[in-house]
Amino acid sequence: ILPAIRSRPGVVALSSVREENLELLDAVPNGSCYRPQLNMLLAESMWMILQDRGQSATPGWREAYEQSNGLMLEYLHIVTTGNRLETTIFDQVSRRRREHRDLQLRILRICSLSASAGGLTDISLLSSLLGVEQEDLQRALVRLPDEHLLIQLAGGSIGGLHDLRSLAISTASHAVPPPLLDETAGLVLQCVVVEDLSRVASHLIAKGTIGTE
């Protein structure tokens, strides 16, 4: 698309990118990046739009704004569902524990930690690592995208919808050990796609999730 746009004067392309994929902008030398910052004016205007559409679950915007700590995704989740993102995620993970959906939990622990570090998980490597047949993995994956926990991408990889959501999933899925977070981190490095390995390893080391040795 970019070569076609460059050949047509006066055409401006607008797109969005996740925070963990900002390095993709290096391929757009003449582009500029705008990060919307959540403030009171923006919070109120977004709530009014959602209210007019019948999509707001809160009677006002101010409490949700104060609870969101300046995080756009958190704010939108609160005003559209009435709950904090971490509460919703914790309930989804806890339900899987109660229903003994252990394979789904194993997938969530690995893929969410990888996604929170900006990485994609290779489905084939994940299947081999978990010691399950691809059909069993496929069945386990059916519900996760539907509940906005993970997203299955073209090319045989699994990613997260947003780094904040992925972090909440990782936190909730490790709330009751085993395994410990550093144990999952070791598994992440075994099945992250090759292109993301360096970035994910650097992130996990910087966060103290794994050591440097």
Side-chain angles (χ1 to χ4, degrees):
I1 297 176
L2 285 176
I5 292 176
R6 291 194 184 102
S7 65
R8 302 182 64 179
V11 176
V12 177
L14 180 66
S15 63
S16 61
V17 63
R18 299 188 302 176
E19 189 74 23
E20 59 266 34
N21 292 330
L22 282 176
E23 70 275 3
L24 297 176
L25 296 180
D26 294 339
V28 191
N30 296 323
S32 58
C33 178
Y34 171 72
R35 285 189 177 91
Q37 300 294 320
L38 184 65
N39 53 41
M40 296 178 68
L41 180 61
L42 180 58
E44 183 179 15
S45 62
M46 287 194 298
W47 177 84
M48 291 177 64
I49 292 172
L50 291 170
Q51 186 78 352
D52 290 340
R53 294 176 178 176
Q55 296 175 324
S56 173
T58 59
W61 61 272
R62 189 176 297 274
E63 183 177 357
Y65 173 74
E66 293 173 350
Q67 291 178 348
S68 67
N69 297 318
L71 299 173
M72 184 78 72
L73 177 67
E74 177 78 0
Y75 173 74
L76 289 172
H77 187 85
I78 295 173
V79 297
T80 54
T81 68
N83 298 314
R84 296 199 64 175
L85 177 61
E86 61 185 20
T87 301
T88 301
I89 294 296
F90 188 85
D91 289 343
Q92 289 175 304
V93 171
S94 296
R95 186 172 69 252
R96 281 167 169 78
R97 286 199 188 97
R98 292 194 302 269
E99 297 174 355
H100 304 286
R101 288 193 258 171
D102 298 332
L103 181 54
Q104 286 190 14
L105 287 170
R106 294 169 71 190
I107 295 169
L108 282 175
R109 281 193 291 264
I110 294 172
C111 295
S112 64
L113 181 56
S114 178
S116 70
L120 297 175
T121 300
D122 185 291
I123 291 180
S124 296
L125 293 177
L126 180 64
S127 178
S128 299
L129 180 68
L130 297 178
V132 297
E133 297 294 334
Q134 291 188 349
E135 291 77 12
D136 294 329
L137 184 62
Q138 183 186 58
R139 283 189 288 271
L141 284 171
V142 168
R143 291 292 300 278
L144 300 180
D146 291 342
E147 297 187 31
H148 308 293
L149 291 169
L150 294 173
I151 182 171
Q152 192 164 339
L153 304 172
S157 60
I158 306 171
L161 291 169
H162 188 277
D163 55 346
L164 181 63
R165 181 180 290 271
S166 297
L167 179 59
I169 296 170
S170 179
T171 301
S173 60
H174 288 91
V176 182
L180 298 175
L181 189 62
D182 61 341
E183 294 174 324
T184 299
L187 300 178
V188 165
L189 297 180
Q190 295 181 54
C191 55
V192 65
V193 299
V194 175
E195 297 82 0
D196 296 342
L197 178 58
S198 177
R199 176 169 64 251
V200 169
S202 297
H203 179 94
L204 294 176
I205 291 172
K207 293 293 183 180
T209 309
I210 58 175
T212 57
E213 297 182 0

